[in-house]
Amino acid sequence: MLKFLKIAGFLLVVVTLGYFYRIIHRQNIIPYIGSNNIEVSDENVLQNISPSEVLKEGDGIIFLETSDRLELSSLVLCAIESAARMYENRPVVFFLKGLNDTNIEEAVKTHFPVLSSLENIYIFPLKLEELFIDTPLLSWYNKTNPEKESHWLHVSADGCRLALIWKYGGMYMDTDIISIRPIPDQDFLAAQHSQFSSNGIFQFSAHHNFTQQCMEDFVKNYNSRIWGHQGPFLFTRILRKFCDLPDFNSTEDIMCGNITFFNPQRFYPIGYPSWRSYYRVWDKLPTFNDSYALHLWNYMNSKSNLTMVPGSNILVEHLYKQYCPSIYDSILRNMTTL
Ligand SMILES: *[C@@H]1O[C@H](CO)[C@@H](O)[C@H](O)[C@H]1NC(C)=O
Ligand SMILES: *[C@@H]1O[C@H](CO)[C@@H](O)[C@H](O)[C@H]1NC(C)=O
Ligand SMILES: *[C@@H]1O[C@H](CO)[C@@H](O)[C@H](O)[C@H]1NC(C)=O
Ligand SMILES: *[C@@H]1O[C@H](CO)[C@@H](O)[C@H](O)[C@H]1NC(C)=O
Ligand SMILES: *[C@@H]1O[C@H](CO)[C@@H](O)[C@H](O)[C@H]1NC(C)=O
Ligand SMILES: *[C@@H]1O[C@H](CO)[C@@H](O)[C@H](O)[C@H]1NC(C)=O
Ligand SMILES: *[C@@H]1O[C@H](CO)[C@@H](O)[C@H](O)[C@H]1NC(C)=O
Ligand SMILES: *[C@@H]1O[C@H](CO)[C@@H](O)[C@H](O)[C@H]1NC(C)=O
């Protein structure tokens, strides 16, 4: 009897300690928007869990890197951190082609120490063939030779985002989008301008008619020589099947069937001809209060490679400080330890 009580007591202590550890741990990682003193723990999200397990609720937020690179710009890291903070109750999943089951642990430790310390971020290898199984894209992928394709990185990224959101549901975001306000939970596409949909950010429930039809059209009308043909142009042609799109007159959104077509102000308050404005000092900072997230036009930036420089006072520095403070801190730390 005494022995039983001892064991039971011991178990109770273990369970209680575990419980407190969990609470303390959770408190440490609750993201404080705009705060610079978040604890960055060493623990990383090298979860023994599969992507489908993480994404099964259909509320995941997905980022992709289809090149083999693991050295990514600070903007990519900032985009992912900002989403993790903005949607702290949703899993934020980053798939990288350059990861595989043999290098994942080391690579995540080396390249993504900050991201992997945030509890709702998951990092996985991107396996194209596995991803396309059970989708119309498999037949296309099987007969395509990546080496012979123009724009392969873009085209494969176009296919992957469709397959993922069709399979699991959730939101896809490009890695040059900084989240600044939560997007209402609904199926949506983002207008880049009137009558034209982007494919850089969108959200659908699993097996939605829209993503289904996009994948079918992707395969049927595939043409990798035309840039964007499998991307924004594909999304725009399929969206037109769901309604007649009116022009935007002001900052209103449009309902197209049951899909919300967000006003260009929601994600593109600074249009691509002005993309350099993000890298300039502003007299008065814009409030962006008609926007949910900011697309920084990395594609336009690929020739000049402008980056966030701490202390420069440019607009992106303010965005980093407010929306991805851990990445901002890690950049500062790295500079001062050199
Ligand atoms: C995993 O990736 C590393 C480098 O990124 C590479 O050297 C290695 O061959 C890859 N392993 C497999 C099984 O693909
Ligand atoms: C694609 O190729 C894989 C093996 O490489 C095969 O198992 C699968 O049946 C093929 N699927 C299609 C649709 O051709
Ligand atoms: C999907 O859309 C097509 C064409 O718009 C329509 O024929 C079909 O009934 C829709 N399917 C569902 C499940 O709503
Ligand atoms: C929206 O409509 C499509 C068909 O057009 C359907 O597949 C989907 O389930 C609908 N979603 C909701 C939330 O009603
Ligand atoms: C914008 O104005 C035009 C002309 O009045 C109208 O036809 C259109 O529906 C309006 N667009 C929206 C999104 O309300
Ligand atoms: C937008 O910002 C202005 C100040 O720049 C403020 O007066 C207004 O209330 C804001 N609107 C919303 C919806 O937050
Ligand atoms: C910009 O960065 C890309 C990728 O990191 C690199 O390939 C390119 O050469 C750089 N361009 C300039 C002008 O530095
Ligand atoms: C630290 O700075 C060095 C040199 O500027 C750079 O190569 C490296 O990627 C930086 N590391 C991090 C984690 O930012």
Side-chain angles (χ1 to χ4, degrees):
M1 185 59 189
L2 195 60
K3 196 171 174 193
F4 170 78
L5 279 179
K6 266 190 191 156
I7 292 173
F10 175 73
L11 283 178
L12 187 67
V13 168
V14 168
V15 168
T16 313
L17 282 180
Y19 180 70
F20 280 121
Y21 171 76
R22 189 72 193 156
I23 291 181
I24 291 162
H25 180 69
R26 283 202 79 86
Q27 279 170 348
N28 270 342
I29 54 76
I30 288 172
Y32 298 100
I33 308 293
S35 151
N36 283 339
N37 55 14
I38 185 172
E39 296 251 350
V40 174
S41 77
D42 282 341
E43 182 170 338
N44 68 69
V45 194
L46 281 179
Q47 57 290 324
N48 276 326
I49 190 170
S50 66
S52 49
E53 187 65 20
V54 171
L55 294 167
K56 69 172 189 239
E57 306 290 339
D59 63 348
I61 296 171
I62 295 174
F63 292 89
L64 294 175
E65 176 59 51
T66 50
S67 78
D68 284 325
R69 292 174 53 217
L70 293 172
E71 296 280 345
L72 302 175
S73 73
S74 72
L75 179 55
V76 174
L77 309 178
C78 182
I80 297 171
E81 181 186 345
S82 70
R85 287 175 182 278
M86 199 53 59
Y87 305 94
E88 56 184 82
N89 298 318
R90 298 173 63 168
V92 171
V93 185
F94 188 25
F95 289 99
L96 296 102
K97 179 78 171 14
L99 287 182
N100 59 46
D101 293 332
T102 52
N103 71 0
I104 177 162
E105 191 150 347
E106 196 51 37
V108 168
K109 261 194 212 136
T110 313
H111 297 282
F112 311 111
V114 176
L115 294 187
S116 60
S117 71
L118 295 173
E119 179 162 290
N120 59 335
I121 294 182
Y122 298 82
I123 299 174
F124 292 117
L126 176 63
K127 300 172 181 172
L128 297 186
E129 177 152 346
E130 206 170 287
L131 172 58
F132 293 141
I133 286 173
D134 296 331
T135 79
L137 294 172
L138 185 62
S139 62
W140 156 76
Y141 182 68
N142 269 7
K143 55 183 190 238
T144 309
N145 178 356
E147 261 129 55
K148 299 220 168 102
E149 298 294 298
S150 21
H151 314 303
W152 175 249
L153 292 184
H154 287 105
V155 167
S156 60
D158 287 338
C160 288
R161 69 190 75 178
L162 277 171
L164 280 161
I165 300 300
W166 178 81
K167 274 191 175 174
Y168 301 108
M171 176 152 51
Y172 167 82
M173 283 197 212
D174 276 348
T175 49
D176 55 353
I177 295 179
I178 298 181
S179 296
I180 65 169
R181 236 176 239 110
I183 304 170
D185 197 10
Q186 56 200 308
D187 295 341
F188 77 81
L189 291 168
Q192 205 162 302
H193 49 77
S194 277
Q195 318 256 346
F196 189 72
S197 177
S198 138
N199 75 335
I201 178 165
F202 57 97
Q203 170 162 275
F204 283 99
S205 37
H207 304 130
H208 195 281
N209 214 342
F210 178 82
T211 41
Q212 170 82 35
Q213 290 188 46
C214 280
M215 289 192 297
E216 284 162 11
D217 186 290
F218 184 114
V219 176
K220 202 164 105 205
N221 297 313
Y222 181 67
N223 184 344
S224 69
R225 284 183 305 274
I226 310 173
W227 196 89
H229 186 70
Q230 284 67 232
F233 293 103
L234 168 66
F235 274 41
T236 302
R237 23 185 213 277
I238 302 301
L239 183 61
R240 289 219 170 99
K241 294 187 182 178
F242 283 71
C243 72
D244 290 324
L245 287 175
D247 285 341
F248 293 102
N249 298 308
S250 169
T251 57
E252 78 282 12
D253 300 322
I254 290 172
M255 282 309 297
C256 179
N258 59 10
I259 301 170
T260 304
F261 192 40
F262 277 129
N263 191 284
Q265 284 297 316
R266 303 286 172 259
F267 306 107
Y268 307 99
I270 293 177
Y272 69 87
S274 317
W275 68 272
R276 285 172 184 274
S277 306
Y278 283 112
Y279 297 92
R280 287 209 180 108
V281 178
W282 290 53
D283 289 338
K284 189 168 176 290
L285 289 174
T287 61
F288 295 120
N289 62 8
D290 286 321
S291 304
Y292 296 128
L294 306 172
H295 183 262
L296 269 69
W297 304 106
N298 209 32
Y299 184 72
M300 303 295 293
N301 189 8
S302 54
K303 284 215 179 71
S304 9
N305 285 350
L306 300 182
T307 55
M308 195 285 295
V309 178
S312 63
N313 199 30
I314 56 179
L315 178 53
V316 293
E317 181 182 15
H318 293 276
L319 297 173
Y320 274 50
K321 278 182 173 169
Q322 192 168 1
Y323 302 109
C324 56
S326 299
I327 291 298
Y328 184 76
D329 268 6
S330 76
I331 296 168
L332 279 182
R333 268 203 315 276
N334 193 20
M335 289 175 66
T336 55
T337 53
L338 272 179

PDB file of all heavy atoms in Angstrom, residues 32-49:
ATOM      1  N   TYR A  32       4.633  38.494 -28.887  1.00  0.00           N
ATOM      2  CA  TYR A  32       4.191  39.829 -28.535  1.00  0.00           C
ATOM      3  C   TYR A  32       4.420  40.716 -29.735  1.00  0.00           C
ATOM      4  O   TYR A  32       5.557  40.982 -30.101  1.00  0.00           O
ATOM      5  CB  TYR A  32       5.004  40.358 -27.351  1.00  0.00           C
ATOM      6  CG  TYR A  32       4.827  39.518 -26.131  1.00  0.00           C
ATOM      7  CD1 TYR A  32       5.763  38.582 -25.769  1.00  0.00           C
ATOM      8  CD2 TYR A  32       3.676  39.657 -25.360  1.00  0.00           C
ATOM      9  CE1 TYR A  32       5.581  37.790 -24.658  1.00  0.00           C
ATOM     10  CE2 TYR A  32       3.497  38.871 -24.240  1.00  0.00           C
ATOM     11  CZ  TYR A  32       4.448  37.936 -23.891  1.00  0.00           C
ATOM     12  OH  TYR A  32       4.273  37.155 -22.799  1.00  0.00           O
ATOM     13  N   ILE A  33       3.352  41.155 -30.364  1.00  0.00           N
ATOM     14  CA  ILE A  33       3.494  41.988 -31.547  1.00  0.00           C
ATOM     15  C   ILE A  33       4.206  43.285 -31.165  1.00  0.00           C
ATOM     16  O   ILE A  33       3.835  43.945 -30.211  1.00  0.00           O
ATOM     17  CB  ILE A  33       2.113  42.324 -32.138  1.00  0.00           C
ATOM     18  CG1 ILE A  33       1.285  41.073 -32.350  1.00  0.00           C
ATOM     19  CG2 ILE A  33       2.252  43.139 -33.394  1.00  0.00           C
ATOM     20  CD1 ILE A  33       1.780  40.137 -33.383  1.00  0.00           C
ATOM     21  N   GLY A  34       5.228  43.627 -31.905  1.00  0.00           N
ATOM     22  CA  GLY A  34       5.900  44.904 -31.688  1.00  0.00           C
ATOM     23  C   GLY A  34       6.884  44.866 -30.527  1.00  0.00           C
ATOM     24  O   GLY A  34       7.560  45.841 -30.258  1.00  0.00           O
ATOM     25  N   SER A  35       6.988  43.740 -29.854  1.00  0.00           N
ATOM     26  CA  SER A  35       7.912  43.685 -28.726  1.00  0.00           C
ATOM     27  C   SER A  35       9.240  43.091 -29.186  1.00  0.00           C
ATOM     28  O   SER A  35       9.287  42.190 -29.993  1.00  0.00           O
ATOM     29  CB  SER A  35       7.297  42.826 -27.634  1.00  0.00           C
ATOM     30  OG  SER A  35       8.309  42.217 -26.877  1.00  0.00           O
ATOM     31  N   ASN A  36      10.320  43.601 -28.650  1.00  0.00           N
ATOM     32  CA  ASN A  36      11.621  43.104 -29.074  1.00  0.00           C
ATOM     33  C   ASN A  36      12.222  42.121 -28.095  1.00  0.00           C
ATOM     34  O   ASN A  36      13.301  41.626 -28.289  1.00  0.00           O
ATOM     35  CB  ASN A  36      12.593  44.266 -29.262  1.00  0.00           C
ATOM     36  CG  ASN A  36      12.314  44.992 -30.559  1.00  0.00           C
ATOM     37  OD1 ASN A  36      11.692  44.440 -31.459  1.00  0.00           O
ATOM     38  ND2 ASN A  36      12.758  46.223 -30.648  1.00  0.00           N
ATOM     39  N   ASN A  37      11.516  41.851 -26.990  1.00  0.00           N
ATOM     40  CA  ASN A  37      12.168  41.035 -25.982  1.00  0.00           C
ATOM     41  C   ASN A  37      11.623  39.609 -25.912  1.00  0.00           C
ATOM     42  O   ASN A  37      11.651  38.981 -24.889  1.00  0.00           O
ATOM     43  CB  ASN A  37      12.082  41.725 -24.614  1.00  0.00           C
ATOM     44  CG  ASN A  37      10.646  42.036 -24.255  1.00  0.00           C
ATOM     45  OD1 ASN A  37       9.749  41.501 -24.906  1.00  0.00           O
ATOM     46  ND2 ASN A  37      10.423  42.877 -23.263  1.00  0.00           N
ATOM     47  N   ILE A  38      11.111  39.103 -27.030  1.00  0.00           N
ATOM     48  CA  ILE A  38      10.614  37.732 -27.059  1.00  0.00           C
ATOM     49  C   ILE A  38      11.765  36.768 -26.785  1.00  0.00           C
ATOM     50  O   ILE A  38      12.895  37.000 -27.201  1.00  0.00           O
ATOM     51  CB  ILE A  38       9.958  37.420 -28.415  1.00  0.00           C
ATOM     52  CG1 ILE A  38       9.342  36.041 -28.393  1.00  0.00           C
ATOM     53  CG2 ILE A  38      10.976  37.534 -29.540  1.00  0.00           C
ATOM     54  CD1 ILE A  38       8.516  35.737 -29.626  1.00  0.00           C
ATOM     55  N   GLU A  39      11.451  35.732 -26.029  1.00  0.00           N
ATOM     56  CA  GLU A  39      12.463  34.727 -25.747  1.00  0.00           C
ATOM     57  C   GLU A  39      12.636  33.838 -26.957  1.00  0.00           C
ATOM     58  O   GLU A  39      11.666  33.342 -27.504  1.00  0.00           O
ATOM     59  CB  GLU A  39      12.009  33.835 -24.585  1.00  0.00           C
ATOM     60  CG  GLU A  39      11.858  34.574 -23.296  1.00  0.00           C
ATOM     61  CD  GLU A  39      12.947  34.198 -22.316  1.00  0.00           C
ATOM     62  OE1 GLU A  39      13.686  33.241 -22.592  1.00  0.00           O
ATOM     63  OE2 GLU A  39      13.049  34.872 -21.282  1.00  0.00           O
ATOM     64  N   VAL A  40      13.859  33.638 -27.346  1.00  0.00           N
ATOM     65  CA  VAL A  40      14.105  32.706 -28.435  1.00  0.00           C
ATOM     66  C   VAL A  40      14.755  31.483 -27.827  1.00  0.00           C
ATOM     67  O   VAL A  40      15.885  31.534 -27.376  1.00  0.00           O
ATOM     68  CB  VAL A  40      15.000  33.347 -29.509  1.00  0.00           C
ATOM     69  CG1 VAL A  40      15.371  32.348 -30.563  1.00  0.00           C
ATOM     70  CG2 VAL A  40      14.282  34.531 -30.132  1.00  0.00           C
ATOM     71  N   SER A  41      14.013  30.412 -27.759  1.00  0.00           N
ATOM     72  CA  SER A  41      14.548  29.218 -27.106  1.00  0.00           C
ATOM     73  C   SER A  41      15.356  28.395 -28.100  1.00  0.00           C
ATOM     74  O   SER A  41      15.282  28.599 -29.295  1.00  0.00           O
ATOM     75  CB  SER A  41      13.407  28.379 -26.547  1.00  0.00           C
ATOM     76  OG  SER A  41      12.782  27.676 -27.586  1.00  0.00           O
ATOM     77  N   ASP A  42      16.128  27.469 -27.567  1.00  0.00           N
ATOM     78  CA  ASP A  42      16.933  26.626 -28.446  1.00  0.00           C
ATOM     79  C   ASP A  42      16.113  25.504 -29.049  1.00  0.00           C
ATOM     80  O   ASP A  42      16.495  24.876 -30.015  1.00  0.00           O
ATOM     81  CB  ASP A  42      18.065  25.967 -27.649  1.00  0.00           C
ATOM     82  CG  ASP A  42      19.186  26.951 -27.408  1.00  0.00           C
ATOM     83  OD1 ASP A  42      19.219  27.951 -28.152  1.00  0.00           O
ATOM     84  OD2 ASP A  42      19.976  26.722 -26.494  1.00  0.00           O
ATOM     85  N   GLU A  43      14.983  25.285 -28.432  1.00  0.00           N
ATOM     86  CA  GLU A  43      14.185  24.152 -28.880  1.00  0.00           C
ATOM     87  C   GLU A  43      13.770  24.354 -30.322  1.00  0.00           C
ATOM     88  O   GLU A  43      13.370  25.430 -30.723  1.00  0.00           O
ATOM     89  CB  GLU A  43      12.929  24.060 -28.035  1.00  0.00           C
ATOM     90  CG  GLU A  43      12.097  22.871 -28.444  1.00  0.00           C
ATOM     91  CD  GLU A  43      10.981  22.639 -27.456  1.00  0.00           C
ATOM     92  OE1 GLU A  43      11.111  23.099 -26.307  1.00  0.00           O
ATOM     93  OE2 GLU A  43      10.003  22.012 -27.851  1.00  0.00           O
ATOM     94  N   ASN A  44      13.915  23.331 -31.146  1.00  0.00           N
ATOM     95  CA  ASN A  44      13.383  23.558 -32.464  1.00  0.00           C
ATOM     96  C   ASN A  44      12.286  22.597 -32.816  1.00  0.00           C
ATOM     97  O   ASN A  44      12.016  21.634 -32.120  1.00  0.00           O
ATOM     98  CB  ASN A  44      14.481  23.733 -33.505  1.00  0.00           C
ATOM     99  CG  ASN A  44      15.274  22.547 -33.787  1.00  0.00           C
ATOM    100  OD1 ASN A  44      14.760  21.630 -34.346  1.00  0.00           O
ATOM    101  ND2 ASN A  44      16.553  22.600 -33.415  1.00  0.00           N
ATOM    102  N   VAL A  45      11.582  22.986 -33.870  1.00  0.00           N
ATOM    103  CA  VAL A  45      10.353  22.280 -34.180  1.00  0.00           C
ATOM    104  C   VAL A  45      10.696  21.081 -35.056  1.00  0.00           C
ATOM    105  O   VAL A  45      10.147  20.907 -36.114  1.00  0.00           O
ATOM    106  CB  VAL A  45       9.372  23.241 -34.877  1.00  0.00           C
ATOM    107  CG1 VAL A  45       7.980  22.663 -34.906  1.00  0.00           C
ATOM    108  CG2 VAL A  45       9.332  24.574 -34.150  1.00  0.00           C
ATOM    109  N   LEU A  46      11.678  20.291 -34.580  1.00  0.00           N
ATOM    110  CA  LEU A  46      12.013  19.100 -35.353  1.00  0.00           C
ATOM    111  C   LEU A  46      11.096  17.995 -34.892  1.00  0.00           C
ATOM    112  O   LEU A  46      11.449  17.042 -34.233  1.00  0.00           O
ATOM    113  CB  LEU A  46      13.468  18.734 -35.139  1.00  0.00           C
ATOM    114  CG  LEU A  46      14.347  19.625 -35.978  1.00  0.00           C
ATOM    115  CD1 LEU A  46      15.796  19.297 -35.760  1.00  0.00           C
ATOM    116  CD2 LEU A  46      13.975  19.493 -37.448  1.00  0.00           C
ATOM    117  N   GLN A  47       9.897  18.237 -35.246  1.00  0.00           N
ATOM    118  CA  GLN A  47       8.758  17.471 -34.864  1.00  0.00           C
ATOM    119  C   GLN A  47       8.792  16.097 -35.516  1.00  0.00           C
ATOM    120  O   GLN A  47       9.150  15.963 -36.662  1.00  0.00           O
ATOM    121  CB  GLN A  47       7.532  18.256 -35.330  1.00  0.00           C
ATOM    122  CG  GLN A  47       7.463  18.592 -36.827  1.00  0.00           C
ATOM    123  CD  GLN A  47       8.466  19.631 -37.375  1.00  0.00           C
ATOM    124  OE1 GLN A  47       8.791  20.570 -36.727  1.00  0.00           O
ATOM    125  NE2 GLN A  47       8.931  19.415 -38.562  1.00  0.00           N
ATOM    126  N   ASN A  48       8.388  15.095 -34.763  1.00  0.00           N
ATOM    127  CA  ASN A  48       8.183  13.796 -35.378  1.00  0.00           C
ATOM    128  C   ASN A  48       6.761  13.743 -35.884  1.00  0.00           C
ATOM    129  O   ASN A  48       5.943  12.963 -35.417  1.00  0.00           O
ATOM    130  CB  ASN A  48       8.409  12.671 -34.369  1.00  0.00           C
ATOM    131  CG  ASN A  48       9.865  12.347 -34.278  1.00  0.00           C
ATOM    132  OD1 ASN A  48      10.582  12.436 -35.285  1.00  0.00           O
ATOM    133  ND2 ASN A  48      10.315  12.003 -33.089  1.00  0.00           N
ATOM    134  N   ILE A  49       6.465  14.594 -36.819  1.00  0.00           N
ATOM    135  CA  ILE A  49       5.095  14.750 -37.251  1.00  0.00           C
ATOM    136  C   ILE A  49       5.140  15.001 -38.749  1.00  0.00           C
ATOM    137  O   ILE A  49       6.088  15.579 -39.255  1.00  0.00           O
ATOM    138  CB  ILE A  49       4.430  15.918 -36.461  1.00  0.00           C
ATOM    139  CG1 ILE A  49       2.941  15.974 -36.675  1.00  0.00           C
ATOM    140  CG2 ILE A  49       5.085  17.227 -36.764  1.00  0.00           C
ATOM    141  CD1 ILE A  49       2.249  16.949 -35.743  1.00  0.00           C
TER     142      ILE A  49
END
